[in-house]
Amino acid sequence: MRSRFQFVDDHRDGYEVKRLCQVLDVNRSSYYKWLGGAEARAARQHQDRVPAEEIREVHGESGGTYGSPRVTAELRGKGRRVNEKRVARIMRTFSVTGIRLRRRVRTTVPDPAASPVPDLFQRNFSATEPGRKYMGDITYLPLSGGEFLYLATVLDCFSRKVVGWSIADHMRTGLVADALRMAASTRGSLDGAVFHSGHGAQYGSRAFAGLCGRLGLTRSIGDVGTSADNAACESFHASLKRETLQGVRAHGDADTCRRAVFA
């Protein structure tokens, strides 16, 4: 509608406003109301130019992948007091867009024989101090030719830092076990902490339960088929893929994929 009002305004010297509005199927009173706000819009656009440049800078540093939530977080991290709604509006106005994922591959396959483990998180992914609550999940990494690598991560709920990760061409227990061992090595000890995961067979296996026991971890698992019970990890994986894929459908070969994720 805005573009039609602008078209009327651009051609009002050559044609009657009434006729232009009839042809474009717009209400004349709405057009004049829009015209009356032109000065305010121009002033707002002028005020938006400085934050727009800051947004473009952050967006460019992300490789053109960040949407308004991540841009807002980066600006706040730099000390700017910004509102996400305003950031989103400026990004729309100045045609600054992030990248959205299109495809989804199932990586959580429950094991019906696994012993039940309670959900100790209850969708509370925050922590009052580091090293007390960890969460983990698996995501797919698409390669050319329709093949995949799989990435397992361990995040600290306090800082959301990745403290352990592993990439392989399979989703066996070894994948998640390697990520957890790396977390133990990174932090020195996981003793006394809680580790939360989805209901995948890898996390419910005896081998993984044994590893958690040796590391002094208490296990926590979300409900079957409820992605919100591990939403924080899934959100991180979605952001990671946006930033590494940058709009393309696949990483290329396995080595290219590993380098991109490592970087």
Side-chain angles (χ1 to χ4, degrees), residues 39-90:
E39 186 175 340
R41 286 194 302 276
R44 186 172 66 178
Q45 190 171 30
H46 178 74
Q47 293 173 352
D48 286 345
R49 291 193 181 279
V50 172
E53 288 305 311
E54 294 176 336
I55 288 169
R56 280 201 182 100
E57 182 179 353
V58 171
H59 187 256
E61 290 172 352
S62 76
T65 62
Y66 280 6
S68 59
R70 296 294 296 274
V71 170
T72 303
E74 289 292 327
L75 290 174
R76 287 174 179 170
K78 294 180 179 181
R80 296 280 285 113
R81 298 180 63 182
V82 291
N83 180 282
E84 186 183 329
K85 289 184 178 179
R86 187 186 181 202
V87 171
R89 175 179 58 77
I90 293 173

Side-chain angles (χ1 to χ4, degrees), residues 83-207:
N83 180 282
E84 186 183 329
K85 289 184 178 179
R86 187 186 181 202
V87 171
R89 175 179 58 77
I90 293 173
M91 289 180 71
R92 287 194 302 269
T93 301
F94 290 86
S95 301
V96 181
T97 58
I99 296 174
R100 295 185 179 183
L101 299 177
R102 302 177 183 87
R103 193 178 178 190
R104 185 172 180 85
V105 172
R106 188 184 185 196
T107 54
T108 301
V109 181
D111 181 358
S115 300
V117 176
D119 180 358
L120 302 179
F121 272 33
Q122 296 296 314
R123 302 185 185 182
N124 178 9
F125 303 108
S126 61
T128 57
E129 59 181 300
R132 307 315 304 162
K133 294 170 67 177
Y134 296 94
M135 50 188 170
D137 199 7
I138 303 172
T139 192
Y140 71 96
L141 302 170
L143 305 178
S144 58
E147 298 180 340
F148 298 95
L149 289 181
Y150 299 94
L151 170 70
T153 52
V154 178
L155 280 68
D156 188 318
C157 292
F158 177 77
S159 61
R160 301 296 173 88
K161 287 184 177 179
V162 179
V163 295
W165 60 284
S166 177
I167 294 179
D169 59 0
H170 63 81
M171 291 193 296
R172 296 189 294 273
T173 301
L175 174 69
V176 296
D178 285 346
L180 194 61
R181 290 191 189 98
M182 179 179 176
S185 176
T186 301
R187 287 299 169 89
S189 174
L190 301 179
D191 189 40
V194 178
F195 177 78
H196 181 83
S197 69
H199 229 281
Q202 305 88 346
Y203 295 108
S205 68
R206 289 184 180 180

Side-chain angles (χ1 to χ4, degrees), residues 221-236:
I221 292 182
D223 289 337
V224 177
T226 308
S227 60
D229 286 350
N230 207 19
C233 255
E234 294 199 2
S235 175
F236 166 74

